[in-house]
Amino acid sequence: MILTVTLNTALDITYHVPSLRPHTSHRVTEVTERPGGKGLNVARVLAALGHEVTATGFVGGETGRALKDQLTSTPGVVDALVPVTGPTRRTIAVVDTTTGDTTQLNEPGPLVSPAEWRAFQDVYEDLLPAVSAVALCGSLPPGVPVGAYAQLVRAARSLSVPVLLDTSGEPLRRGVAARPDLVKPNTDELAELTGSHEPLQATRDARRRGAHTVVASLGPEGLLALNAEGRWRATPPGPVEGNPTGAGDSVVAGLLSGLVENLPWPERLARAVALSTATVLAPAAGEFDARAYEELVGRVAVSEDVTAA
């Protein structure tokens, strides 16, 4: 079983409009509503790949109840969410169907009390002995300590459970120092962590700070991975148009599934890039175009330089 942690869950609402223009009214042509937050997106993709997944994190209020109702109907995902008093946030994505551009509006999330944080830690530590890998994903809601991910990384590592960290800012800096098995920042997050805007130098710096493996997301240019075994670059076969929301979460799902299946690194990276690209072609985060994924996974170019680590 794989465990995904989403401390700042969300109800993802996606609007499609013919053209997004400031200061005007818009007629929405399509609406989708899904349980969201990075870790829940990861969980849904992993379940679609056939993995058993348990999802934990915080949930509260009317929005939280709507999220739980939808998560319960998601095949393959077990709900281990922890209740809080404050309401779960909403995220609004507005997709311009003419250009393919997406505008994202993210609410901050509920205020989590110290007692609620302790209750979550108890649930997390109870789940850890039964899992094969953990993904710690997304932002921290108000009230959760900035070093929360570092604590969760150390708890997983104390039981020899592989842990992937996907966050940003100070939670990433502190989390990396706890020596996670894998981090998956994008180039902006890497630059903020290391001060370097050159991806290879930044991935090296991130490894020196404590991460065993760094997989840098380069957007439409694919992935750059670095660990003690070597360096790999995975590139999609070509650009695609669509909604990029959740593409990075599908990268996490690809990497985690490859880890628990013990795939070689080139195959893990090819899967991650193919899933990410297929997610851009899907209507909402946490989903992917299965036919496109099957066609793309064999066409991802992965180059290796084993002397570069």
Side-chain angles (χ1 to χ4, degrees):
M1 178 186 72
I2 298 173
L3 177 65
T4 69
V5 174
T6 315
L7 295 178
N8 209 4
T9 59
L11 189 65
D12 284 348
I13 303 168
T14 303
Y15 295 126
H16 291 79
V17 298
S19 178
L20 181 61
R21 302 183 305 278
H23 316 302
T24 64
S25 297
H26 295 78
R27 186 174 297 277
V28 176
T29 58
E30 182 184 352
V31 181
T32 58
E33 188 176 279
R34 301 285 190 276
K38 294 178 73 65
L40 292 187
N41 293 337
V42 172
R44 290 167 58 217
V45 173
L46 283 168
L49 291 171
H51 288 275
E52 295 182 1
V53 189
T54 295
T56 190
F58 294 115
V59 68
E62 290 294 334
T63 309
R65 279 188 281 275
L67 184 154
K68 283 176 70 69
D69 287 345
Q70 293 199 29
L71 190 64
T72 300
S73 64
T74 304
V77 179
V78 175
D79 174 1
L81 294 169
V82 177
V84 292
T85 302
T88 295
R89 65 185 178 136
R90 296 162 298 178
T91 64
I92 311 296
V94 183
V95 180
D96 184 321
T97 57
T98 300
T99 65
D101 292 338
T102 300
T103 300
Q104 190 85 14
L105 303 174
N106 296 327
E107 295 179 355
L111 176 63
V112 176
S113 71
E116 290 167 339
W117 170 236
R118 289 193 296 271
F120 168 80
Q121 289 177 285
D122 290 341
V123 169
Y124 176 76
E125 291 174 6
D126 286 345
L127 289 168
L128 277 179
V131 306
S132 54
V134 177
L136 307 174
C137 302
S139 61
L140 301 179
V144 172
V146 71
Y149 282 135
Q151 295 178 46
L152 301 182
V153 168
R154 286 193 289 267
R157 288 187 54 79
S158 71
L159 296 177
S160 300
V161 176
V163 57
L164 182 154
L165 177 62
D166 183 17
T167 188
S168 60
E170 186 65 12
L172 175 61
R173 189 184 72 79
R174 297 197 187 195
V176 165
R179 303 187 63 79
D181 296 271
L182 175 61
V183 294
K184 190 218 67 68
N186 61 34
T187 51
D188 289 340
E189 292 161 350
L190 260 182
E192 184 180 9
L193 174 67
T194 66
S196 174
H197 291 271
E198 199 288 308
L200 178 56
Q201 183 59 50
T203 55
R204 287 172 171 157
D205 288 348
R207 282 203 69 233
R208 282 194 286 268
R209 290 168 183 265
H212 291 269
T213 297
V214 181
V215 178
S217 176
L218 309 179
E221 296 180 8
L223 301 174
L224 173 65
L226 184 69
N227 60 24
E229 300 171 42
R231 182 182 82 192
W232 298 266
R233 175 74 180 268
T235 308
V240 296
E241 292 185 359
N243 179 7
T245 307
D249 305 330
S250 290
V251 169
V252 172
L255 295 172
L256 268 184
S257 62
L259 184 155
V260 299
E261 294 172 32
N262 201 30
L263 296 181
W265 270 104
E267 292 183 35
R268 298 187 201 184
L269 297 168
R271 176 181 292 182
V273 170
L275 279 172
S276 176
T277 305
T279 295
V280 175
L281 299 172
E287 301 176 4
F288 62 94
D289 184 316
R291 183 175 298 179
Y293 166 67
E294 294 295 339
E295 190 272 333
L296 285 163
V297 71
R299 298 175 54 212
V300 175
V302 182
S303 58
E304 180 180 6
D305 180 357
V306 296
T307 68

